[in-house]
Amino acid sequence: MNTTPEGTAPLTVDHHEPLWVRAAAVIEQRVLDGTMPPGGRLPAERELCAQLDISRVTLRRALTHLGEQGVLRNSHGRGWYAAGESARQDRPAGAERGDREWPNSLESFTETARRKGLVPSSRVLRAETGPASLDEADEFGVAAGTELFRLDRVRLLDGLPIGIDASRVVLGLAPHLTETDFTRSSMLAELTAAGCEPVNAESMIEARGCPEDLAEHLGLDAGDPVLVMQQAMADGGGRTVLVTTITYRGDRYRLRTAFVRGGSL
């Protein structure tokens, strides 16, 4: 018998997150609050599409994502099922609400928060335009002096400051960014809407002491440990569309990865 998520309503269109992210959040919440009991089979895809008023392509992306995160499991030929209690209990949880692992897939801060059942928010410190320096021009592969949009935000989970995100975008790629309310909006969602969705990223992570000008925003003292992640994100054509430097509180984020040994001695 199918277990139908009671109270599921069509997703609103006046939202800044991609539809599949919002669909995944709705379904995950039903699993977490027990509306879909462990081992229960989800409604048929056609029924879920009707409930959420989304396409099958959008739904399948949401379901696949939840499968990768261990929230759902797919029984080929039979449908999707809510994960059992043991699988849900094995999902990593930190000592604090902000103690979360980075995902293996490229996703926005907002997407990660929703996936973890947390409430994301931002406090904008700077949102302005200005010419690219020589180094910035080299990062984006544009001429020096090209107009950039610079956005600095304190990122919060459930009201707790997690990090400070300093982002740069070539303004010509998405001129509407200057009019966007980034206390709520996702940069990745806005770039996707502008036709330049980031699909891969090169990242570098290092431990540092917290700079004095950032410490107050993170509730730290200058010199306290932070993790700094620098990312250059490119679209499907290989064009760099977003460069970010995110300074995370060292006690509220951790990195988990996997290595595979190839060849032989």
Side-chain angles (χ1 to χ4, degrees), residues 9-24:
L11 302 177
T12 57
V13 297
D14 58 340
H15 203 288
H16 296 289
E17 294 174 351
L19 274 174
W20 75 267
V21 174
R22 287 143 54 198

Side-chain angles (χ1 to χ4, degrees), residues 25-105:
V26 169
I27 296 170
E28 180 176 17
Q29 184 58 44
R30 297 296 172 182
V31 174
L32 296 177
D33 67 17
T35 302
M36 292 181 182
R41 183 154 62 104
L42 272 66
E45 289 187 2
R46 180 178 299 178
E47 184 177 345
L48 278 174
C49 288
Q51 291 173 0
L52 300 173
D53 193 21
I54 57 177
S55 70
R56 186 162 293 187
V57 170
T58 298
L59 175 66
R60 286 178 177 172
R61 185 172 181 185
L63 294 175
T64 299
H65 174 76
L66 292 175
E68 292 171 349
Q69 301 306 318
V71 177
L72 304 177
R73 60 181 177 84
N74 185 13
S75 178
H76 295 289
R78 299 183 62 190
W80 289 88
Y81 291 77
E85 284 291 350
S86 60
R88 287 161 56 185
Q89 290 171 358
D90 287 342
R91 296 178 68 204
E96 295 189 59
R97 298 293 286 169
D99 187 13
R100 304 291 172 178
E101 292 149 2
W102 277 292
N104 292 325
S105 59

Side-chain angles (χ1 to χ4, degrees), residues 148-165:
L148 300 182
F149 176 66
R150 296 184 175 88
L151 176 67
D152 296 349
R153 291 170 289 174
V154 180
R155 312 308 301 271
L156 304 98
L157 294 177
D158 288 354
L160 193 69
I162 301 300
I164 295 178
D165 182 340

Side-chain angles (χ1 to χ4, degrees), residues 50-258:
Q51 291 173 0
L52 300 173
D53 193 21
I54 57 177
S55 70
R56 186 162 293 187
V57 170
T58 298
L59 175 66
R60 286 178 177 172
R61 185 172 181 185
L63 294 175
T64 299
H65 174 76
L66 292 175
E68 292 171 349
Q69 301 306 318
V71 177
L72 304 177
R73 60 181 177 84
N74 185 13
S75 178
H76 295 289
R78 299 183 62 190
W80 289 88
Y81 291 77
E85 284 291 350
S86 60
R88 287 161 56 185
Q89 290 171 358
D90 287 342
R91 296 178 68 204
E96 295 189 59
R97 298 293 286 169
D99 187 13
R100 304 291 172 178
E101 292 149 2
W102 277 292
N104 292 325
S105 59
L106 179 61
E107 62 184 21
S108 71
F109 180 87
T110 300
E111 290 168 340
T112 302
R114 297 297 190 197
R115 175 168 57 82
K116 295 294 186 180
L118 302 173
V119 177
S121 60
S122 298
R123 187 165 66 246
V124 176
L125 302 177
R126 176 176 70 158
E128 61 186 30
T129 61
S133 66
L134 289 173
D135 288 342
E136 290 172 328
D138 186 58
E139 286 180 308
F140 285 101
V142 298
T146 298
E147 200 78 357
L148 300 182
F149 176 66
R150 296 184 175 88
L151 176 67
D152 296 349
R153 291 170 289 174
V154 180
R155 312 308 301 271
L156 304 98
L157 294 177
D158 288 354
L160 193 69
I162 301 300
I164 295 178
D165 182 340
S167 299
R168 287 164 288 153
V169 178
V170 174
L171 183 60
L173 295 177
H176 74 285
L177 294 180
T178 58
E179 306 299 326
T180 302
D181 177 10
F182 279 104
T183 62
R184 298 176 53 204
S185 297
S186 162
M187 176 64 81
L188 265 64
E190 295 300 326
L191 290 176
T192 298
C196 48
E197 178 183 11
V199 297
N200 60 68
E202 291 187 1
S203 305
M204 181 178 70
I205 304 168
E206 60 182 324
R208 297 181 186 174
C210 185
E212 186 174 356
D213 61 326
L214 302 185
E216 181 180 357
H217 298 297
L218 292 174
L220 298 174
D221 293 326
D224 281 350
V226 292
L227 289 175
V228 179
M229 179 169 65
Q230 296 176 314
Q231 283 191 318
M233 303 185 192
D235 64 8
R239 173 181 56 178
T240 299
V241 296
L242 175 62
V243 175
T244 67
T245 299
I246 308 178
T247 303
Y248 291 106
R249 280 187 57 134
D251 60 342
R252 290 181 182 160
Y253 256 81
R254 65 175 180 256
L255 172 64
R256 183 178 68 177
T257 187

